[in-house]
Amino acid sequence: DSGVTQTPKHLITATGQRVTLRCSPRSGDLSVYWYQQSLDQGLQFLIQYYNGEERAKGNILERFSAQQFPDLHSELNLSSLELGDSALYFCASSPAGGAQTQYFGPGTRLLVL
Amino acid sequence: ILNVEQSPQSLHVQEGDSTNFTCSFPSSNFYALHWYRWETAKSPEALFVMTLNGDEKKKGRISATLNTKEGYSYLYIKGSQPEDSATYLCASRNNAGNMLTFGGGTRLMVKP
């Protein structure tokens, strides 16, 4: 158990809908990262937050957004969902950034029908 | 954009065999190299983070080396056990940003 929690574990929804994925980092970790794992691709970095501020952005679609709250938990919002958004979404956390280890949560499996 | 590649894609070995796999990454602007172990239906588990050329890290029967000048890292498993069966991921970070770029992984299957 890495100490990172994610809810829900599974989510089934329809195209065009909007969902929110939630992540609680390890106690004391300030950085939160979001990754997407699709069937045909490896783990893709989406976005990083550090102590409430956006720190780095990867291949995140405009339909997706994220935020980190004062209690350091983070939410990833996915809107106007398409079939291709079906994937495993991981959250990871680290104490700060840099070369520190990122600890991964169990992931949320999203299925868009 | 970083391009991280791992080989082989998959590997079948017998229990007791030692094995190794490779991670290649762009050497320019290198900052850190991470190795993860990912079992099916679980989350990736951190193994090592390495930053310096020539770094060598060890955790039990698993060890890793790093060559930042030529852009590669090796992961070694000594005396493979069935419980070592997993996908081993490497990820590189350059000094231009905080993002990790992951390779496609090496899927290891150890037969008893």
Side-chain angles (χ1 to χ4, degrees):
Chain A
D1 183 1
S2 66
V4 179
T5 60
Q6 288 186 249
T7 56
K9 269 192 167 176
H10 303 275
L11 199 46
I12 302 174
T13 189
T15 54
Q17 295 298 304
R18 174 190 166 94
V19 297
T20 297
L21 313 184
R22 184 189 166 103
C23 167
S24 292
R26 292 186 326 153
S27 176
D29 283 359
L30 299 176
S31 266
V32 169
Y33 309 79
W34 286 97
Y35 293 88
Q36 180 193 55
Q37 165 87 41
S38 303
L39 268 176
D40 56 347
Q41 291 193 1
L43 272 169
Q44 300 284 318
F45 170 75
L46 295 177
I47 197 163
Q48 178 206 0
Y49 276 81
Y50 174 78
N51 204 20
E53 301 282 328
E54 183 184 302
R55 179 61 71 89
K57 221 167 182 175
N59 300 321
I60 188 165
L61 299 170
E62 282 191 19
R63 300 183 285 109
F64 296 1
S65 65
Q67 52 185 326
Q68 186 179 27
F69 295 86
D71 67 352
L72 300 176
H73 90 271
S74 177
E75 291 180 357
L76 179 68
N77 301 295
L78 315 176
S79 60
S80 303
L81 284 167
E82 301 175 1
L83 296 177
D85 297 327
S86 297
L88 192 50
Y89 292 85
F90 282 109
C91 162
S93 76
S94 69
Q100 292 176 324
T101 297
Q102 294 183 20
Y103 295 91
F104 280 74
T108 292
R109 186 169 291 281
L110 173 67
L111 181 59
V112 182
L113 300 174
Chain B
I1 297 175
L2 293 181
N3 200 19
V4 179
E5 295 179 359
Q6 291 187 248
S7 63
Q9 274 193 327
S10 65
L11 194 53
H12 293 251
V13 301
Q14 286 295 135
E15 182 175 355
D17 287 351
S18 292
T19 186
N20 65 84
F21 10 100
T22 307
C23 171
S24 301
F25 53 88
S27 54
S28 61
N29 301 318
F30 171 83
Y31 188 86
L33 193 283
H34 297 240
W35 278 101
Y36 286 87
R37 180 173 177 274
W38 190 7
E39 286 183 74
T40 305
K42 294 188 178 179
S43 52
E45 174 198 345
L47 289 173
F48 308 114
V49 181
M50 295 182 287
T51 56
L52 299 175
N53 185 44
D55 254 355
E56 191 167 332
K57 297 246 172 141
K58 192 174 179 187
K59 191 176 183 176
R61 293 179 291 100
I62 305 177
S63 60
T65 61
L66 179 67
N67 183 323
T68 61
K69 293 187 190 308
E70 295 178 47
Y72 64 83
S73 175
Y74 293 135
L75 189 82
Y76 300 91
I77 303 179
K78 188 177 175 183
S80 304
Q81 299 296 308
E83 57 265 31
D84 295 329
S85 297
T87 296
Y88 290 84
L89 295 168
C90 72
S92 180
R93 198 210 129 176
N94 67 15
N95 55 25
N98 288 319
M99 57 181 281
L100 287 183
T101 300
F102 280 84
T106 292
R107 188 166 173 232
L108 174 68
M109 283 152 283
V110 183
K111 297 179 215 174

